[in-house]
Amino acid sequence: MKNRLKVLRAERDWSQSDLAGRLGVSRQSVNAIETGKYDPSLPLAFRIADVFGLSIEAIFSKE
Amino acid sequence: MAMSAYMRRYTIRMLAFGAAYAVTLVGAIMIMKQPWAPTGVPLYLLAVLPALPVIGMIWTIMRLAVETEDEYQRHLFGRQVLVATGLTLSLATIWGFLEDSDLVAVLPSYHVTVVWLAMFGIAGCFVRWRA
């Protein structure tokens, strides 16, 4: 699964730690999701979408 | 970096059970060497006493899977347990066949738990290094 986390973070000038804090997860989690090593669960994907004010489809896409 | 609440609970429990293991093991050995050492059922209870903190350590590790608030850390923990279990079962199987062939000493079965705890630590380094 591909995602636009890095771009969306950069647009908001957020570090991985900033995003992790907003999501209530570790920085390693954000890094793993961002680099495609880990696909988040649906509840976490919804939280990510809420944080960015976007739909899940606007952030995540199939390979 | 501040330690998360679930990791703090894990660390405190592990330290407590580790200390309890040391105390019960040394205590049980010392009591068994005394002339007034218990016999029968009390001796069984005394012999089993050091196992209880070890079971507590296993419980502590399993609780980590439940209490971890971070799903990626839970995912890594699951892999760590799988790797540790796979390595331990492999080693136990190899050792068992070597025992059958009288090539190595017959070890007490609780060594499996000790090996699993060691493998759990090694697997943690491996899994997190690759994460």
Side-chain angles (χ1 to χ4, degrees):
Chain A
M1 208 162 65
K2 282 198 279 192
N3 68 75
R4 299 177 53 232
L5 278 191
K6 194 170 183 178
V7 173
L8 294 169
R9 262 196 319 106
E11 285 173 0
R12 288 156 181 79
D13 200 22
W14 291 348
S15 66
Q16 287 187 342
S17 296
D18 292 335
L19 179 56
R22 288 165 195 268
L23 292 170
V25 300
S26 62
R27 191 200 58 77
Q28 294 97 314
S29 301
V30 170
N31 184 59
I33 295 166
E34 203 168 283
T35 54
K37 287 180 183 170
Y38 177 72
D39 291 332
S41 67
L42 203 49
L44 180 54
F46 272 114
R47 287 218 305 276
I48 293 169
D50 285 345
V51 163
F52 286 115
L54 297 167
S55 65
I56 288 178
E57 297 91 323
I59 302 171
F60 297 96
S61 60
K62 286 190 282 185
E63 292 285 357
Chain B
M1 194 174 71
M3 190 185 275
S4 54
Y6 65 86
M7 275 309 293
R8 195 161 45 245
R9 281 196 297 274
Y10 170 82
T11 305
I12 290 168
R13 286 169 184 164
M14 279 306 247
L15 289 172
F17 283 123
Y21 173 68
V23 169
T24 54
L25 182 66
V26 172
I29 290 170
M30 285 176 70
I31 290 171
M32 283 180 193
K33 285 181 178 173
Q34 301 305 315
W36 45 265
T39 56
V41 173
L43 179 58
Y44 276 87
L45 294 175
L46 186 64
V48 165
L49 206 56
L52 301 180
V54 176
I55 294 168
M57 286 183 200
I58 296 167
W59 173 80
T60 297
I61 291 170
M62 296 310 151
R63 282 301 298 172
L64 193 60
V66 177
E67 295 180 2
T68 302
E69 294 140 9
D70 185 323
E71 67 176 51
Y72 178 61
Q73 295 301 326
R74 192 181 301 120
H75 164 77
L76 293 180
F77 173 77
R79 289 179 64 181
Q80 185 178 351
V81 168
L82 280 175
V83 171
T85 304
L87 288 171
T88 305
L89 289 176
S90 300
L91 288 173
T93 304
I94 291 168
W95 194 270
F97 278 103
L98 289 171
E99 278 182 359
D100 275 354
S101 305
D102 292 328
L103 293 170
V104 293
V106 176
L107 293 177
S109 57
Y110 62 72
H111 277 61
V112 171
T113 309
V114 177
V115 170
W116 188 88
L117 288 170
M119 291 300 126
F120 182 73
I122 292 168
C125 299
F126 177 72
V127 165
R128 278 167 176 75
W129 170 63
R130 292 196 62 194

